[in-house]
Amino acid sequence: LSRGCAWDSLLCICVFRTFLLAVHQHPTATMATKFSDISKGPKDLLSDDYTNKLSLKCKKGAGPVAVTIETTRGSGGALSSKIGGKFAYAGLSFDKVQHTADGGAVLETSLKPAPGVKLSFKGNKGADLGIDYTKGSLYATGTLDVKNMSKLSTSACYGVNSSITVGGDASYALSGKTGISGFNVGASYKTGPAFVSLTTASKMSQFNIGLSYKVNDSISLASSTTHSSEKTCDVLAIGGAYKADFGTIKAKTAGSGVVEACLIKDVADKVTLTASGSVLPSDLSTFKYGLGLTM
């Protein structure tokens, strides 16, 4: 793991040099990307599909409405369900209308009043009004907490060319101690099967490095590490995925020593089974498992 951290640190230094060279060597523009998705590749490979829950998700079209029912089994054996749907009416998209087992409700809507502009509303325990603006390789967002009027958040991301994406975000507190409450920047570089992203966190006091490499059509590798003055290198996860004839196998390990693995398999038409497990090798009593079925 220490060698992995040294490699990430070296990439952190080299990424800026690579950035300057690629601007001139690869002038082709790229598709607009949200700043929150600038490290999407490594994050998805290292986080998606891993679970320690027992769940069943059913999706079914009912006329113009797409209905989703999801049920999970708690540690005590009790079942908890939530039901939701999405549909569009008169140009307004109801992206999520959901009711949960605890009596809560979720409402997410969106509207596109002009090309490249999307207005959105997300209501759950809070309420946020948002706007997304895209033009060419630029993707900008803004979000306002309209329930408590406590925070305004914004981000911008720009695809310099087909290889490089740069961006940043900031938040401004509207109540309590007003002023800029957060700001960060990031960049990603992709060449062939390799991808590297460098982002900051905690007002640029921490650096996050995400790496991924596609060995071939069947094997992909990824790592995620954080670096700060308090801890030179913290390995969040190192793992990979293998696409076999019988399904996709994923495995990862973290600096804590916990090992996780999962299998994703299509058991029937539009029916996917996900089996997952995690354990600390030095203590087998920590073994946890999860099983999910989506249809």
Side-chain angles (χ1 to χ4, degrees), residues 1-9 233 235 238:
L1 294 181
S2 60
R3 291 182 179 178
C5 289
W7 174 243
D8 285 342
S9 299
C233 181
V235 179
I238 296 178

Side-chain angles (χ1 to χ4, degrees), residues 205-244:
S205 63
Q206 174 180 302
F207 291 90
N208 308 318
I209 297 179
L211 300 171
S212 66
Y213 185 81
K214 188 175 182 180
V215 180
N216 51 44
D217 291 338
S218 300
I219 301 174
S220 297
L221 305 174
S223 69
S224 177
T225 58
T226 63
H227 310 263
S228 65
S229 58
E230 297 179 355
K231 194 168 186 179
T232 305
C233 181
D234 185 13
V235 179
L236 300 182
I238 296 178
Y242 173 65
K243 294 181 180 179

Side-chain angles (χ1 to χ4, degrees), residues 249-267:
I249 300 174
K250 298 175 66 176
K252 67 177 180 179
T253 185
S256 61
V258 175
V259 177
E260 298 182 62
C262 64
L263 169 67
I264 306 98
K265 179 178 176 59
D266 293 331
V267 293

Side-chain angles (χ1 to χ4, degrees), residues 138-156:
L138 173 67
Y139 200 129
T141 69
T143 304
L144 174 64
D145 172 13
V146 293
K147 180 180 180 181
N148 301 314
M149 299 301 292
S150 60
K151 186 171 71 170
L152 173 66
S153 303
T154 184
S155 74

Side-chain angles (χ1 to χ4, degrees), residues 19-87:
F19 168 78
L20 294 175
L21 292 174
V23 169
H24 300 286
Q25 296 175 357
H26 304 281
T28 305
T30 188
M31 185 180 295
T33 303
K34 272 187 177 182
F35 179 69
S36 58
D37 292 334
I38 201 168
S39 303
K40 182 176 173 62
K43 283 183 179 179
D44 287 354
L45 195 150
L46 294 170
S47 61
D48 287 356
D49 305 310
Y50 294 98
T51 181
N52 57 10
K53 297 180 180 179
L54 298 178
S55 64
L56 172 65
K57 180 184 287 187
C58 300
K59 301 178 180 179
K60 177 67 176 178
V65 182
V67 179
T68 300
I69 301 175
E70 185 173 359
T71 302
T72 58
R73 180 180 182 273
S75 57
L79 299 179
S80 175
S81 298
K82 52 187 177 182
I83 180 171
K86 64 177 182 177
F87 60 94

Side-chain angles (χ1 to χ4, degrees), residues 144-206:
L144 174 64
D145 172 13
V146 293
K147 180 180 180 181
N148 301 314
M149 299 301 292
S150 60
K151 186 171 71 170
L152 173 66
S153 303
T154 184
S155 74
C157 200
Y158 181 72
V160 178
N161 51 47
S162 59
S163 298
I164 298 171
T165 302
V166 296
D169 64 10
S171 57
Y172 189 91
L174 301 174
S175 63
K177 187 178 180 180
T178 60
I180 297 177
S181 55
F183 53 88
N184 290 290
V185 297
S188 68
Y189 175 67
K190 176 177 173 57
T191 176
F195 174 89
V196 56
S197 66
L198 172 64
T199 58
T200 66
S202 303
K203 295 183 179 180
M204 301 180 67
S205 63
Q206 174 180 302

